[in-house]
Amino acid sequence: MADLEVSKIIDEICELSKNDAGEITRFPFSESWMKAQTYLKELFEKLGFDTYFDCAGNLHGRIGTQSDTIMTGSHADTVRNGGKYDGLYGVVAAALAVSKLYRKYGAPKKGLEVIAFSEEEGTRFPFNFWGSKTLIGDVEWDKVKCLTDKEGIRMVEALENQGFSYSNGCAKRDDIKAFVEIHIEQGGVLEAKNMEIGVVTGIVGYKKFNIEIFGEANHAGTTPMGFRKDAGFCAGVIISELIKRAREYGDPLVTTIGQIEFSPNLANVVPAYAQFSLDMRHTDGDILNRFQEEALEIVKKITSAEKVTYNFTTVFDDKPVYMDKDIMDIITKACENQGVKYMAIHSGAGHDSQILARIAPVGMIFVPSKNGVSHNPAEFTEPELLEKGVSILEEALHKLAY
Amino acid sequence: MADLEVSKIIDEICELSKNDAGEITRFPFSESWMKAQTYLKELFEKLGFDTYFDCAGNLHGRIGTQSDTIMTGSHADTVRNGGKYDGLYGVVAAALAVSKLYRKYGAPKKGLEVIAFSEEEGTRFPFNFWGSKTLIGDVEWDKVKCLTDKEGIRMVEALENQGFSYSNGCAKRDDIKAFVEIHIEQGGVLEAKNMEIGVVTGIVGYKKFNIEIFGEANHAGTTPMGFRKDAGFCAGVIISELIKRAREYGDPLVTTIGQIEFSPNLANVVPAYAQFSLDMRHTDGDILNRFQEEALEIVKKITSAEKVTYNFTTVFDDKPVYMDKDIMDIITKACENQGVKYMAIHSGAGHDSQILARIAPVGMIFVPSKNGVSHNPAEFTEPELLEKGVSILEEALHKLAY
């Protein structure tokens, strides 16, 4: 078999799985997503892997023994109208790296397994890292199965519609000895520093909150300013103060209010209700905790002054995760052996690796993102850089599994 | 025929026209709306009026000669999940007042006509005062007919679906010599001052703008704060500064940002786009113009500092309207004759009267709104106060038409 090109395989998968609007929107357990997972299964089989879907929709492709697994891969789902490389690159690169090892060296001493996690983005259901969490057995299934998407389809139905019958713990694995994930950077640091590979040191702590403000609907013309309980104004002041304060903290703190809703959301009615998301991330868990406290103080101060009430709800609170030093050394060594320009870098985005880190040593490899763009059709990485990533991953997996 | 009670008729109409959710949502040209208009037509006929629907969906009920019309009435459409009295009270009260005059004094010297305007709120199509504007012939029909509601139904289709075939100017009237509208206050001033009737002095100038901010979508985790063009943050700062500045102006300026949208509106993506409404009203047109200039300056200053671009679009710009002094005197005299507690008051809301004021002298009568609530199912006015309004309107119309 001739060498397969990672960028061409990615292009094929994105072409066959795009939606009617021509967009890359592979929500978990959708038809688009199933087309991609099925293609990957066929690819894995062509490469000689033993393949199976587990009960959570994760696709596995394996060579070597059945114990002591070295695992590699990423996720196959995407955000709405996303890019080609986020997640999928990590699956395809892993498959090609393992295939090369298999052809050069035969079966490894340990099990070597490629995984396409079924869900990571949390875009369809309000629950992310489904795929990797099922693998480590960290899912409160009784709660999660009732979550619905925007069409009202429950997670349990969506799984069943694609033939997956999940029950508590059915995808859990106890044999994973290491996990290595390759991913696009999704930021502009490697490109700006003219680097080819990022050796990831850790993943930022990542908190998400839901903030609600409860005011009072009133006629926009007949209610004097002093008689209002304007939930929308409160939201505006809070957004303004939160971002200004985050800027004062400086890098690497990032804070985003990306989603907002007013009710009744009519131009001529004072908003009775405002709801918005708050996303904050930092490599240092203590600093992140301090910023969370300040954010809550800002919400308290403004809502109290405006005589409205609030909810400040934690959606999730992921602590910072550090990559395994030995795996980082292996990746660094591979870069040096291959004469690749590399640097240490932290990840500002969450990845399946942070979930696997709870049960095994993990390592991550970044390739540059053109203009730092991600979660967007303009996502791009040069094919040569994609191939360099495969090559570094191949050498690292060789060290770990053979 | 026994005296009809205004509150009972309103209750009946709201009961028969409520939607499946039990809400009062009479969007123009909807089934709910048509039920109300049809009921009103039958009521007008029962009261002995000559009735017809014009080509714009306005319902007319007339007694007296065909020239020199004294017109009274209001609108039959509502906002989503609105109240019982906004608009509809003015139609039913007008019908009962004219009916009483007809029974007491027979046909008037002039034409006396009750109107139920088909559309005033602008809630379904982005165009308000449709009913009254068609009457004075001020509609750019070539533009307006293409406006669509949220379901994509064009205005021209919605009209045709109810059997109305509008063409430019087909509802225009040249015979209107005066217009008197009775309406709930929609604010809390009359109640706070323990008054029964408000003699309206004028309607505030009312400007509506659409503000758009164009930033750049970026990953919420991997994009340092200094590299962002956060349209959502800009919206927050602008909302915050606009409302704070409006408060500094003081009464009677009111400013509302009631509607907002982010795009892509995802918690983990820096907003590429923010759009929000800006509603501002004042009795003094010059002060309102000055505040508009300041609002634009605020938008310019913040978008320039954040290196994003903006659109600041005027949706409409309605100048303050003053009620006719002679009609105000007639209403005041009626209050004095009947021993009703009254005060002069301005209207913070827009009304069909402001459109009719362009072609004829107009007057408005307010009855109190319980707790100042309007555009809300809690909208309420005591039945006795509703009847007092009818009685004042009757006396005023007698002076004008007989």
Side-chain angles (χ1 to χ4, degrees):
Chain A
M1 186 159 44
D3 268 2
L4 294 165
E5 285 177 42
V6 62
S7 68
K8 287 194 178 163
I9 296 173
I10 290 170
D11 285 348
E12 274 188 44
I13 295 172
C14 291
E15 182 61 28
L16 73 90
S17 66
K18 69 188 181 186
N19 68 10
D20 295 341
E23 296 169 349
I24 299 170
T25 302
R26 284 195 304 272
F27 280 173
F29 323 124
S30 67
E31 292 310 310
S32 294
W33 169 90
M34 195 66 207
K35 281 181 190 165
Q37 288 286 71
T38 304
Y39 178 105
L40 287 167
K41 186 165 189 286
E42 288 164 7
L43 173 69
F44 288 6
E45 283 163 1
K46 242 187 285 181
L47 298 175
F49 307 166
D50 295 329
T51 70
Y52 74 98
F53 277 111
D54 67 26
C55 58
N58 300 310
L59 170 67
H60 304 255
R62 188 177 175 90
I63 61 172
T65 65
Q66 287 305 312
S67 60
D68 286 3
T69 302
I70 307 300
M71 188 174 270
T72 179
S74 190
H75 60 95
D77 66 318
T78 69
V79 297
R80 184 186 301 280
N81 199 14
K84 288 199 275 192
Y85 305 97
D86 180 358
L88 186 60
Y89 169 59
V91 179
V92 176
L96 298 194
V98 170
S99 166
K100 284 178 183 179
L101 289 170
Y102 197 29
R103 282 186 289 147
K104 284 183 196 166
Y105 309 108
K109 277 186 263 180
K110 300 185 177 177
L112 188 49
E113 187 170 319
V114 180
I115 189 158
F117 290 116
S118 54
E119 198 279 346
E120 187 256 10
E121 298 284 1
T123 317
R124 179 174 178 186
F125 300 99
F127 185 86
N128 56 355
F129 300 117
W130 161 258
S132 45
K133 282 185 172 172
T134 59
L135 220 69
I136 70 161
D138 181 23
V139 173
E140 288 186 274
W141 179 232
D142 280 348
K143 283 185 192 168
V144 175
K145 69 182 177 189
C146 298
L147 297 177
T148 59
D149 65 12
K150 281 184 181 162
E151 275 75 46
I153 300 169
R154 280 174 300 129
M155 186 125 172
V156 67
E157 288 175 83
L159 277 158
E160 282 170 3
N161 288 344
Q162 294 299 356
F164 302 113
S165 176
Y166 188 80
S167 62
N168 237 342
C170 67
K172 187 167 185 285
R173 289 280 292 269
D174 297 313
D175 57 315
I176 300 166
K177 299 302 170 199
F179 180 74
V180 185
E181 182 175 13
I182 189 162
H183 205 282
I184 56 167
E185 180 198 343
Q186 304 183 272
V189 176
L190 293 178
E191 186 182 55
K193 307 248 179 194
N194 197 27
M195 291 290 163
E196 296 169 311
I197 290 288
V199 181
V200 179
T201 55
I203 297 173
V204 289
Y206 178 6
K207 294 174 188 274
K208 184 177 163 184
F209 304 96
N210 186 42
I211 300 175
E212 293 177 296
I213 313 289
F214 303 93
E216 200 174 277
N218 269 305
H219 193 291
T222 60
T223 315
M225 298 306 280
F227 286 74
R228 299 181 175 205
K229 292 184 173 179
D230 185 340
F233 168 62
C234 292
V237 181
I238 292 168
I239 291 168
S240 170
E241 292 204 11
L242 279 174
I243 299 291
K244 285 175 183 170
R245 189 74 192 102
R247 287 178 177 178
E248 286 165 6
Y249 266 71
D251 293 332
L253 180 72
V254 284
T255 295
T256 307
I257 290 102
Q259 176 274 325
I260 196 166
E261 184 191 327
F262 283 3
S263 176
N265 207 35
L266 295 171
N268 60 350
V269 182
V270 178
Y273 172 81
Q275 172 275 324
F276 52 96
S277 62
L278 172 60
D279 172 317
M280 54 175 76
R281 316 189 197 194
H282 198 288
T283 48
D284 184 323
D286 291 336
I287 296 177
L288 200 56
N289 288 338
R290 202 184 333 135
F291 186 65
Q292 173 185 344
E293 280 165 29
E294 282 201 45
L296 180 58
E297 283 310 312
I298 287 171
V299 172
K300 277 185 183 167
K301 180 191 73 181
I302 291 159
T303 52
S304 162
E306 295 293 322
K307 297 186 174 54
V308 299
T309 57
Y310 72 91
N311 273 339
F312 189 101
T313 315
T314 301
V315 180
F316 56 75
D317 184 354
D318 294 336
K319 308 296 174 205
V321 169
Y322 300 96
M323 296 295 118
D324 182 73
K325 289 267 184 271
D326 291 340
I327 300 179
M328 280 171 61
D329 286 346
I330 288 171
I331 297 166
T332 302
K333 196 78 205 252
C335 291
E336 282 168 359
N337 289 342
Q338 298 185 28
V340 162
K341 287 179 282 180
Y342 72 94
M343 66 179 281
I345 188 170
H346 78 265
S347 173
H351 294 291
D352 292 306
S353 291
Q354 74 196 63
I355 307 301
L356 271 298
R358 298 184 199 164
I359 60 159
V362 298
M364 279 197 83
I365 303 165
F366 274 173
V367 293
S369 289
K370 181 105 181 157
N371 299 320
V373 172
S374 183
H375 283 185
N376 187 305
E379 204 172 80
F380 185 70
T381 304
E382 293 288 345
E384 309 86 81
L385 292 172
L386 296 175
E387 294 296 341
K388 282 193 180 169
V390 173
S391 192
I392 298 298
L393 177 63
E394 179 191 343
E395 186 170 335
L397 293 173
H398 183 249
K399 280 281 180 306
L400 288 164
Y402 283 83
Chain B
M1 186 158 45
D3 268 2
L4 294 164
E5 287 176 43
V6 62
S7 69
K8 286 193 180 163
I9 296 174
I10 290 170
D11 285 349
E12 274 187 45
I13 296 172
C14 291
E15 183 59 30
L16 74 90
S17 67
K18 69 188 181 187
N19 67 10
D20 295 342
E23 297 169 348
I24 299 169
T25 301
R26 285 195 304 272
F27 281 172
F29 323 122
S30 67
E31 292 310 311
S32 294
W33 170 90
M34 196 66 208
K35 282 181 190 165
Q37 288 285 72
T38 304
Y39 178 105
L40 287 166
K41 186 165 189 287
E42 288 164 7
L43 173 69
F44 288 5
E45 283 163 2
K46 244 188 283 182
L47 298 176
F49 308 165
D50 295 328
T51 71
Y52 74 99
F53 277 111
D54 67 26
C55 56
N58 300 309
L59 170 67
H60 303 254
R62 189 179 174 89
I63 60 173
T65 64
Q66 287 304 312
S67 59
D68 285 3
T69 302
I70 307 299
M71 189 173 270
T72 178
S74 191
H75 60 95
D77 66 319
T78 70
V79 296
R80 184 185 301 279
N81 198 16
K84 289 199 274 192
Y85 305 97
D86 180 357
L88 187 59
Y89 168 59
V91 179
V92 176
L96 297 194
V98 170
S99 167
K100 284 178 182 178
L101 290 170
Y102 197 28
R103 282 186 289 150
K104 285 183 197 166
Y105 310 107
K109 277 186 265 180
K110 299 187 176 175
L112 187 50
E113 187 170 319
V114 180
I115 189 158
F117 289 117
S118 54
E119 199 279 346
E120 188 256 9
E121 298 285 2
T123 318
R124 179 174 178 187
F125 299 99
F127 185 87
N128 57 355
F129 301 117
W130 161 258
S132 45
K133 282 185 173 172
T134 58
L135 221 68
I136 71 161
D138 181 21
V139 172
E140 289 187 271
W141 179 232
D142 280 347
K143 283 183 191 169
V144 175
K145 69 181 177 187
C146 298
L147 296 177
T148 60
D149 65 12
K150 282 183 181 164
E151 276 73 47
I153 299 169
R154 280 173 301 130
M155 186 127 173
V156 67
E157 289 175 82
L159 277 158
E160 281 170 4
N161 288 344
Q162 294 299 355
F164 301 114
S165 176
Y166 188 80
S167 62
N168 237 344
C170 66
K172 188 166 185 285
R173 290 279 292 269
D174 297 313
D175 58 314
I176 300 165
K177 299 302 173 201
F179 180 74
V180 185
E181 182 174 12
I182 189 162
H183 205 281
I184 57 168
E185 181 197 343
Q186 304 182 275
V189 177
L190 293 177
E191 185 182 56
K193 308 247 179 196
N194 197 27
M195 291 291 162
E196 296 170 311
I197 290 288
V199 181
V200 178
T201 55
I203 297 174
V204 290
Y206 179 6
K207 293 173 189 274
K208 184 176 163 186
F209 305 97
N210 186 43
I211 299 175
E212 294 177 296
I213 313 288
F214 303 92
E216 198 174 279
N218 269 305
H219 192 291
T222 59
T223 316
M225 300 305 280
F227 286 75
R228 299 181 175 206
K229 292 183 174 181
D230 186 339
F233 167 62
C234 292
V237 180
I238 292 168
I239 291 167
S240 170
E241 293 204 10
L242 280 175
I243 299 291
K244 285 174 183 170
R245 190 73 192 102
R247 288 178 177 178
E248 287 165 5
Y249 266 71
D251 293 332
L253 179 73
V254 284
T255 296
T256 307
I257 290 101
Q259 177 274 325
I260 195 166
E261 184 191 328
F262 282 4
S263 175
N265 206 34
L266 295 170
N268 61 350
V269 182
V270 178
Y273 172 82
Q275 172 275 324
F276 53 96
S277 62
L278 172 61
D279 173 317
M280 55 175 76
R281 315 190 200 195
H282 198 289
T283 48
D284 184 322
D286 291 337
I287 297 177
L288 200 57
N289 287 338
R290 200 184 334 136
F291 186 66
Q292 172 184 346
E293 280 165 29
E294 282 200 45
L296 180 57
E297 283 310 313
I298 287 171
V299 172
K300 276 186 185 168
K301 179 190 73 181
I302 292 159
T303 53
S304 160
E306 295 294 321
K307 298 185 175 54
V308 300
T309 58
Y310 72 91
N311 273 341
F312 189 101
T313 315
T314 302
V315 180
F316 56 76
D317 183 355
D318 294 336
K319 308 297 175 205
V321 169
Y322 301 97
M323 296 295 119
D324 181 73
K325 289 264 183 274
D326 292 339
I327 300 179
M328 280 172 60
D329 286 346
I330 288 171
I331 297 167
T332 303
K333 196 80 205 252
C335 291
E336 282 167 0
N337 290 341
Q338 299 185 28
V340 161
K341 287 179 284 182
Y342 72 95
M343 66 180 280
I345 188 171
H346 78 265
S347 173
H351 293 292
D352 292 306
S353 291
Q354 74 197 63
I355 307 301
L356 271 298
R358 299 184 198 164
I359 60 159
V362 298
M364 280 197 82
I365 302 165
F366 274 173
V367 294
S369 289
K370 181 106 179 155
N371 300 320
V373 173
S374 182
H375 283 184
N376 186 305
E379 202 172 81
F380 185 70
T381 305
E382 292 289 346
E384 309 86 81
L385 292 171
L386 295 175
E387 294 297 340
K388 282 193 180 168
V390 174
S391 192
I392 298 299
L393 177 63
E394 180 191 342
E395 186 170 335
L397 293 174
H398 183 247
K399 278 281 181 305
L400 288 164
Y402 284 84

